[in-house]
Amino acid sequence: MRSYSDKGIAITESFEGLRLVAYQDSVGVWTIGYGHTKGVKAGDTCTAAQADRWLREDVAWAEDCVNRLVKTSITQNQFDALVDFTFNLGCKSLEGSELLRLVNAGRYADAACQFARWNHAGGKVVAGLTRRRAAEATLFVIGLIS
């Protein structure tokens, strides 16, 4: 079983951003810390240390999902890219994706092209998601040569 690396955590932190006061994300979900949503409501606050703990706890399900669904050998960079993708979009998104099908077929270069398709929220292209998917794809491709 692979674990999410510090490099992966840093990518998630950079795209989630640290917010110490609860806010509603682009689709209206109450969020705090680095994308933490469980039990969050308006007016909630946290410390940076709590946000770090929550993130480590929150990515565990995404790690489990990737470990369970990926049936072929992948590098740490590829694993990290898939965990960030899954953390942001959910296990069901990965499970039903062409991205996963291509990974499991060993078609890694083709799989890398699939990240860009997942840049919508609320039916609209979101610039931040476009940047995040590009970063994941880049990390995934680096995994091809590492």
Side-chain angles (χ1 to χ4, degrees), residues 77-94:
N77 284 342
Q78 290 169 322
F79 180 81
D80 289 348
L82 291 169
V83 170
D84 187 69
F85 175 92
T86 302
F87 179 73
N88 183 237
L89 294 166
C91 191
K92 291 269 187 222
S93 293
L94 178 64

Side-chain angles (χ1 to χ4, degrees), residues 63-127:
E63 287 174 324
D64 291 344
C65 177
V66 173
N67 277 313
R68 179 174 52 84
L69 295 176
V70 173
K71 306 298 184 193
T72 189
S73 179
I74 58 174
T75 68
Q76 184 66 51
N77 284 342
Q78 290 169 322
F79 180 81
D80 289 348
L82 291 169
V83 170
D84 187 69
F85 175 92
T86 302
F87 179 73
N88 183 237
L89 294 166
C91 191
K92 291 269 187 222
S93 293
L94 178 64
E95 188 171 27
S97 71
E98 181 72 1
L99 169 61
L100 179 65
R101 189 187 72 71
L102 291 167
V103 167
N104 282 334
R107 294 176 52 194
Y108 305 119
D110 293 332
C113 297
Q114 292 295 309
F115 286 94
R117 298 181 66 214
W118 296 84
N119 66 344
H120 294 74
K124 297 182 180 183
V125 172
V126 176

Side-chain angles (χ1 to χ4, degrees), residues 28-77:
V29 176
W30 284 102
T31 307
I32 197 167
Y34 294 107
H36 181 75
T37 58
K38 185 177 181 182
V40 179
K41 59 190 179 313
D44 285 353
T45 62
C46 71
T47 65
Q50 180 63 60
D52 289 338
R53 282 192 300 275
W54 281 336
L55 180 56
R56 294 283 179 177
E57 293 167 5
D58 289 347
V59 298
W61 66 265
E63 287 174 324
D64 291 344
C65 177
V66 173
N67 277 313
R68 179 174 52 84
L69 295 176
V70 173
K71 306 298 184 193
T72 189
S73 179
I74 58 174
T75 68
Q76 184 66 51
N77 284 342

